[in-house]
Amino acid sequence: MQIKITKNAFLWPVIALLSWSLPTAAAPKSELKIADSLFAMAKYPEALALYEKNFSEDKKNNQSLLLKLAFLAEKTNNYTDCLYYLSKLALVNPSRRLFEKMDKIAGEQGLTGYEFDDYNYFIIFYRRYGDYVPVFLLTLGTYIVAIMVSKARRREPILQIHKVSIVVYLLVLLGILNAPSLYKTCIIINDNTFLRDEPSSAAPVVERVGKGHKLTILGSVDHWNRVIWNNRIVYIRKSDLWNI
């Protein structure tokens, strides 16, 4: 079967070359070597089948595998899978180019949830420097508290605004430290998926949507996820979603 090459593959030569410089997961090595050979010979359907077979839970953070799966998914015009693999890659190695690639594909396919906004900038910054940000903020907070304690021991007055500032600072710090872990997203994988007002099959349908849209998860109730759709809280069956 002939595979169509899409117009939006302008970044894939760079991504494909990058994938060769990243080590592929160890087990099972024989099948992955065969898949790599098929990939090099442009036998994409066969390579895709083997890569998908080896996309197990312990390899979902393998950058090389994610890059190749996304590349092959786009080659076969499977944009839902392509955006899923790119979204998984963004959790491991976020970059501006990657977010712009997802935004471009989503825009051309009429899909929502992949917009490159200020929050994405924050996620990129935090995931790159996340090990240093908490240390810096906690050190600064400790320094401020130490000054206030020192003033209190010397019976020097502490302005009310300084007390309020340290409380606000600690609350903001708590929010920053927890924001990435609370930020969970998912992709709709089924066509004709119903978004409902309540977590029940008998609840009114808010909208019927197709696959490929990315949603933010706010929580879950039994077999339903609570998500945001068009600035509104709705419910969707977990079986209609892939968690990123």
Side-chain angles (χ1 to χ4, degrees), residues 216-228:
T216 300
I217 300 175
L218 299 180
S220 62
V221 180
D222 296 328
H223 302 295
W224 300 82
N225 272 337
R226 186 185 303 110
V227 299
I228 298 177

Side-chain angles (χ1 to χ4, degrees), residues 38-75:
L38 293 169
F39 185 90
M41 292 186 290
K43 294 184 177 180
Y44 296 135
E46 296 90 339
L48 178 60
L50 284 177
Y51 284 135
E52 286 181 336
K53 180 181 177 182
N54 287 278
F55 188 63
S56 57
E57 192 65 36
D58 60 332
K59 299 183 186 67
K60 287 191 176 182
N61 289 333
N62 185 286
Q63 296 180 49
S64 174
L65 195 55
L66 289 169
L67 283 167
K68 291 171 184 173
L69 283 167
F71 173 80
L72 294 171
E74 188 181 19
K75 284 286 188 181

Side-chain angles (χ1 to χ4, degrees), residues 73-123:
E74 188 181 19
K75 284 286 188 181
T76 55
N77 299 325
N78 189 341
Y79 299 106
T80 298
D81 284 14
C82 177
L83 290 168
Y84 170 74
Y85 294 130
L86 291 178
S87 297
K88 293 290 291 183
L89 182 61
L91 295 179
V92 182
N93 186 20
S95 68
R96 181 188 181 92
R97 177 177 290 180
L98 183 56
F99 280 110
E100 287 177 344
K101 173 68 177 178
M102 289 190 288
D103 190 16
K104 179 177 174 59
I105 294 176
E108 292 177 349
Q109 302 305 314
L111 302 174
T112 60
Y114 302 90
E115 296 79 11
F116 188 49
D117 52 21
D118 292 338
Y119 190 84
N120 294 134
Y121 274 113
F122 170 73
I123 293 297

